[in-house]
Structures are given as C-alpha cells and as structure tokens.
Amino acid sequence: MKILEIGSRIEHPEYGKGVVTNVSSTEYWVTFIENGLETIPLTDTFTVIEAVENEVDTISFYEVERTVREILRKWADVGEVVAIGDKWKGGKMIMQPGTAGLASKEVPIDTFFHKIVMLRDRLRVMEQKINSSNLEEIEKIELQQYITRIYGTLTTFNVLFKSPNHNFVGEKTK
C-alpha cells in the first residue's frame, strides 16, 4: 500500500470528496467538501481521484504551526507565562513621596509584576545575544558579570513570584 501525500484528492464512500491535509503513521487527515475535517485510517476504503507525488512545497498544518511557534519564541517578545504569588493578586503598590503635599502614586501590583517579568525576559535575550555574538571571549565574560549583578539587584522582587523556579538569581557564593 502506497501512502498518499498531502494535497492528494480522494472520494470516500461515507464522507464524499476531500483533500488530504496531513498524514500520520496510522491515519489521513482529510478535509471533505461536505463534512469538513475527518481522520480516516490509512487502510480505509476510498477512491483516489488524484495522487500528489513528491510535492516539495507541501507541508502539514502541524508543521506550519510548529514553525510559527518557534519563530515567535525566538524573535518576538513572547516569554513564558509566569504567575504572580497568590497573596499579591489584585494588590497595589503605593509610592509615597518624602515631600509633604505631594500626591502618592498607586500602581496595580499585577502591572508592576508584568514589567519585572518583561525586564527579566529581555535580560535573558540580551544574554543569549551576547553569548552568540562575535565579541572576544573576555568581553563576553565581562558583560555576563554585569548581567549577573543586575539579576542580583533584582532579587528583592523574588517575593512576587509564585514559583521559586522563576526567581532572579545573582552571584552564588561558594
């Protein structure tokens, strides 16, 4: 039995005419004109209207989705989802000026936390760019040390993270 490639057209006795849009090790994913997307076993009975062969440009929806996800992860400002500690949800941060007569500033703690997470994500991207750059090794080490010190400075905000796995970590003492 020869397996059909994506783009092949078939006619199925139950679902009618359709186009193969994905192939797994056990089934075809077929978009039928009348019945929409259905999965059918590779061994199912159907008539091949037109078999596509060796189409280099044909890829599955899964491959497209996976590729787009990888591109976004690499190039966009899309970081992992990081949860704020339960006790801080809905809270606010109040900044009270030291000078009498000036108004205080209230910021939702969720907004502040989001900015801290964005800062951390951008530091990580900078770290990756430094590591993959053409800088001399000594320059990379110096810049890494600055970034490590920045992480150390930000450890104050670790109380906001729900999971300790997301905490800032500065220089570790031996």
Side-chain angles (χ1 to χ4, degrees):
M1 173 186 81
K2 184 174 189 261
I3 295 183
L4 295 172
E5 293 192 30
I6 295 169
S8 296
R9 294 176 31 216
I10 68 167
E11 184 163 2
H12 191 274
E14 184 179 346
Y15 302 115
K17 292 181 180 179
V19 177
V20 176
T21 55
N22 201 358
V23 182
S24 74
S25 60
T26 59
E27 60 193 8
Y28 292 114
W29 295 25
V30 183
T31 302
F32 291 99
I33 295 169
E34 306 267 332
N35 294 290
L37 181 65
E38 296 287 343
T39 55
I40 60 172
L42 295 177
T43 57
D44 209 356
T45 305
F46 53 83
T47 305
V48 178
I49 298 171
E50 179 184 4
V52 171
E53 292 185 26
N54 299 325
E55 285 289 325
V56 177
D57 292 339
T58 306
I59 59 173
S60 69
F61 290 127
Y62 170 78
E63 290 168 318
V64 171
E65 183 181 19
R66 189 192 72 217
T67 302
V68 168
R69 206 176 310 119
E70 287 174 9
I71 290 169
L72 285 173
R73 195 175 295 125
K74 182 173 182 180
W75 297 105
D77 250 350
V78 178
E80 64 181 316
V81 176
V82 179
I84 191 169
D86 292 335
K87 69 179 180 181
W88 303 108
K89 287 181 183 174
K92 58 185 169 187
M93 188 173 72
I94 302 169
M95 293 179 274
Q96 188 70 43
T99 306
L102 296 178
S104 61
K105 171 84 174 164
E106 290 186 9
V107 177
I109 203 145
D110 294 319
T111 302
F112 179 73
F113 178 72
H114 177 68
K115 292 184 182 291
I116 293 291
V117 171
M118 286 188 335
L119 173 71
R120 189 198 59 183
D121 289 345
R122 289 178 180 157
L123 274 172
R124 287 179 177 171
V125 170
M126 182 187 300
E127 213 169 0
Q128 291 169 353
K129 288 185 181 260
I130 289 168
N131 289 333
S132 65
S133 73
N134 295 329
L135 292 171
E136 295 292 325
E137 211 50 43
I138 189 72
E139 293 172 304
K140 287 182 183 182
I141 291 168
E142 287 173 359
L143 290 171
Q144 282 293 344
Q145 288 173 342
Y146 278 111
I147 290 174
T148 300
R149 284 186 228 130
I150 292 169
Y151 283 137
T153 303
L154 295 169
T155 57
T156 301
F157 302 113
N158 286 345
V159 298
L160 297 173
F161 292 98
K162 182 172 189 169
S163 171
N165 296 340
H166 294 116
N167 285 1
F168 290 104
V169 178
E171 238 177 330
K172 295 186 177 182
T173 54
K174 295 179 171 86

